[in-house]
Amino acid sequence: MKKFLLLVLSLTMLLACIACAAGDSDWNYVKKKGKLIIGYTDYAPMNYTDENGNFTGFDTELAIAVCKKLGVEPEFVEIIWDTKEVELNSKAIDCIWNGLTITPERQEMMEITKPYVKNAQVVLMKKGAAYNGTESLIGKTVVAEQGSAGEDVINDDENLKQANYVPKTLQTDCLLELKAGTADAAVLDLTLAKTMTGKDTSYEDIEIVDHLAEENYGVAFRKGSDICEKVNKIFDELVKDGTMAALAEKYGLELAE
């Protein structure tokens, strides 16, 4: 009888723990608030303010569409990219939705959706600058966004390790340095580079000279978050109905396979 009572008590405690965990799930937390707080940085064409003062972008529009299907309001909060994981885990934001490169290290720390957009890391320089592979940048000043995939590429490349690397807060800051001549090269996301350089842009004299690494973007949630799988299912729906393809065409992006 005593063993039976202990078993019943143990089962009761187990069920209580399960119920508690369910009640404290990430989705229930967000649903109770009625909004999904989305961490972003100013990064065209993913999240940015256009020439008319409208906040827009591929990720911006996609997040709004997903939130509509989830039944919650999107709230966009600008963050510092280098402290994005801290802000996520402290619940200052509920997700990082801003062209986040999927890496094994990030997948260990966060719950990340399936890939949805292709990207690459590219080297940018002023037109006419001499470039013959990354060895051309040994001893030169190279910039990238702190905490970005570009920074990882610099740290992993044997030649770029020998450059004078200067981390910047934003990828757009890197373009400013390059234009001003205070940096010789920048390692940035292809998606941003294609949008912000070339004809009819503020950086017509800057061009892509090399592709270093191909990658995919995903949306990051807190580790173990049950929202991630919900978003994955909605991504499938938006691919099937053509919404994702239309957004990719609008912003000049290529969807992940």
Side-chain angles (χ1 to χ4, degrees), residues 143 168-178 203:
V143 290
K168 306 302 295 184
T169 302
L170 298 170
Q171 294 199 56
T172 47
D173 293 342
C174 299
L175 289 174
L176 288 171
E177 296 281 350
L178 204 51
Y203 303 99

Side-chain angles (χ1 to χ4, degrees), residues 138-139 153-165:
I138 295 174
V153 167
I154 291 171
N155 290 333
D156 291 340
D157 186 282
E158 289 304 317
N159 294 320
L160 292 175
K161 283 180 182 178
Q162 301 175 66
N164 174 31
Y165 170 53

Side-chain angles (χ1 to χ4, degrees), residues 34 37 59 69 97 129 183 196:
I37 302 177
D59 274 342
K69 284 182 172 287
W97 204 323
M196 298 198 68

Side-chain angles (χ1 to χ4, degrees), residues 48-56:
Y48 66 102
T49 301
D50 66 18
E51 62 275 10
N52 298 316
N54 300 312
F55 182 61
T56 188

Side-chain angles (χ1 to χ4, degrees), residues 58 62 115-119 215-217 235 238-240 242-249 252-257:
F58 179 91
L62 181 59
Y116 65 99
V117 163
K118 288 184 179 180
N119 187 40
E215 58 198 28
N216 288 309
Y217 286 160
F235 277 180
L238 296 178
V239 167
K240 189 175 181 180
T243 299
M244 198 87 84
L247 284 176
E249 184 177 356
L253 299 173
E254 186 175 350
L255 296 180
E257 297 175 355

